[in-house]
Amino acid sequence: MDSLSPVIGPKLVVPLRSVRRILGPDLPPNLNRICNKNKKINGMHAENTKPRAASSAAAIDFGDRDWKSKYEDDFQARFNIPHLTDVIEDALPIPSTFCLRMRTPTQDFADGYINNNDRVLLKVINYSSPTSAGAECIDPDCTWVEQWVHRAGPREKIYFKPENVKAAIVTCGGLCPGLNDVIRQIVITLEIYGVKKIVGIPFGYRGFSDKDLSEMPLSRKVVQNVHLSGGSLLGVSRGGPSVSDIVDSMEERGINMFFVLGGNGTHAGANAIHNECRKRRLRLAVVGVPKTIDNDILLMDKTFGFDTAVEEAQRAINSAYIEAHSAYHGIGIVKLMGRSSGFIAMQASLASGQIDICLIPEVSFNLHGPHGVLRHLKYLLETKGSAVVCVAEGAGQNFIQKTNAKDASGNVVFGDFGVHLQQETKKYFNEIGITADVKYIDPTYMIRACRANASDGILCTVLGQNAVHGAFAGYSGITVGICNTHYVYLPIPEVISYPRAVDPNSRMWHRCLTSTGQPDFLD
Ligand SMILES: Nc1ncnc2c1ncn2[C@@H]1O[C@H](COP(=O)(O)OP(=O)(O)OP(=O)(O)O)[C@@H](O)[C@H]1O
Ligand SMILES: O=P(O)(O)OC[C@H]1O[C@](O)(CO)[C@@H](O)[C@@H]1O
Ligand SMILES: [Mg+2]
């Protein structure tokens, strides 16, 4: 991507020079900030996933009277959801075997099927100006452009005979509250369609290659109460066999419906598996369910487990607050998950109202110096007597020695900034001769192992059901999500082209700053 190209909204790339051509050299301050911010974010996440190659939006000529309709057509093509019939022309639909159990079905009460042409609007704010807070614009005038995505749900026609289906479920990456709820709902919904052969692949993609691991037969009876505990009934792992080995194994096992629960990495794998299946012309549906406690998947309102994490984090924050408040010059530090995205830290800080400083990977800060975090802690002790800090795990990595260590999936292993901050805080107050009682709480794995709360329980239920509806409808290479409170199907590449991050220019981050009252910690 042209390093001068700002990303104004997700992946809508407008070359900066064309913005400048229209607006002149002086960009509105907001747009300037957007440009700078995105350069920073793209650089920061380069290790993980590269931003998608500039789409045709990069070549938009705003002088063209039809640019808007061309953009909308391009968007529609990008968000088209792949279907088995794209490569298997003779795949014929049959009437759905899914029906709601009504003792007295009436004509008025439709079967509840979704029309294939139903769409959901992805963006709902019509920004009147690029300078409007948090504006996501495509052109310099911030013209309203419609971006429609496919509505999820059961279809009247299906592309699999339930008696011929062997469905497999896998959970990959780290744990996340709600995994069991999704597994449970997939199994229950498959059975309602009439599927008898349902298996779990143990310990992520590794379960396809490790000869000691055997498939776990699944049924409503097996999964009935799994949602009452956290973790994954199937186990999780990072790393594993190659895509072609996975597809070989699926062919051997006779799997023709594959449900993949995981984050960005898992979805990259799922999409590669889908492409390999297409290459082999297999009648096999691959459907993802985004699992990321960090909430770092693009375009969705949220991912399951995130709400639970924010809720559970309150206990740690409250403990840190009580410790800090009860000590003479107490400072509480809480570290929360978020490798490259500070959503949990931001939302947990907002929810608690007890945080004085929230540090996230997306926003740079100084530790030392007249405007640094430590100096502000001193001010807080002087004025309030105590302070509570919430840090996302990916924050402040520039202060820590890099190790080059990677996990089995190739993700960079981070240093512990929470511990570093604790040590630096102690050292700082020691050096300036002020008493400070520093307590550090790292609740990350306790949070991740929780069972889903009620709101995540509902989200998991709907996502699990829709994953099955999507597979039966013949879609493959898709994932399910919630956009503007409606459930949708999205093509996998569009949601994983880079990890979703907190926008430092967003209303939500501004609200967080308003709530904590923290300065910007920059010189
Ligand atoms: N680009 C890729 N292509 C194929 N498979 C991949 C790719 N990236 C990751 N994977 C596989 O996906 C699985 C999970 O990846 P990863 O460990 O990154 O977790 P994740 O899905 O991103 O979830 P989390 O949010 O917990 O990190 C691993 O088995 C890994 O080998
Ligand atoms: O220690 P593990 O299992 O590799 O998982 C840690 C990672 O998982 C995540 O929660 C994402 O699932 C990250 O925030 C974190 O870095
Ligand atoms: Mg990952």
Side-chain angles (χ1 to χ4, degrees), residues 172-174 205 237-240 243 262-266 268-269 291-292 409 411:
C172 311
Y205 290 137
S237 74
R238 300 190 189 273
V243 166
N264 281 293
T266 306
K291 170 242 56 145
T292 151
S409 295
N411 302 305

Side-chain angles (χ1 to χ4, degrees), residues 176-178 181 227 302-312 447 450-461:
C176 179
D181 304 58
H227 61 306
K302 61 178 176 181
T303 47
F304 73 82
F306 172 68
D307 247 18
T308 307
V310 170
E311 191 172 308
E312 198 57 27
I447 290 174
C450 282
R451 67 170 276 200
N453 68 8
S455 114
D456 272 332
I458 295 167
L459 180 58
C460 292
T461 299

Side-chain angles (χ1 to χ4, degrees), residues 10-11 52 55 74-75 77-80 271 297-299 477 479 490-498:
K11 289 183 277 83
R52 183 174 177 269
S55 73
D74 175 62
F75 185 90
R78 274 170 48 205
F79 282 81
N80 181 40
N271 198 53
I297 297 227
L298 294 170
L299 306 175
T479 196
L490 297 161
I492 291 175
E494 291 297 333
V495 300
I496 57 161
S497 47
Y498 56 92

Side-chain angles (χ1 to χ4, degrees), residues 386-398:
S386 64
V388 188
V389 187
C390 177
V391 299
E393 70 174 303
Q397 289 301 307
N398 47 324

Side-chain angles (χ1 to χ4, degrees), residues 295-355:
N295 202 30
D296 60 354
I297 297 227
L298 294 170
L299 306 175
M300 300 170 187
D301 296 355
K302 61 178 176 181
T303 47
F304 73 82
F306 172 68
D307 247 18
T308 307
V310 170
E311 191 172 308
E312 198 57 27
Q314 300 309 301
R315 301 204 304 160
I317 290 176
N318 193 44
S319 303
Y321 175 83
I322 289 170
E323 284 286 345
H325 209 64
S326 309
Y328 175 70
H329 278 185
I331 295 176
I333 300 171
V334 179
K335 186 181 80 170
L336 298 175
M337 275 186 171
R339 280 183 64 79
S340 51
S341 312
F343 288 105
I344 302 180
M346 174 177 75
Q347 300 281 50
S349 299
L350 264 171
S352 75
Q354 294 170 312
I355 295 296

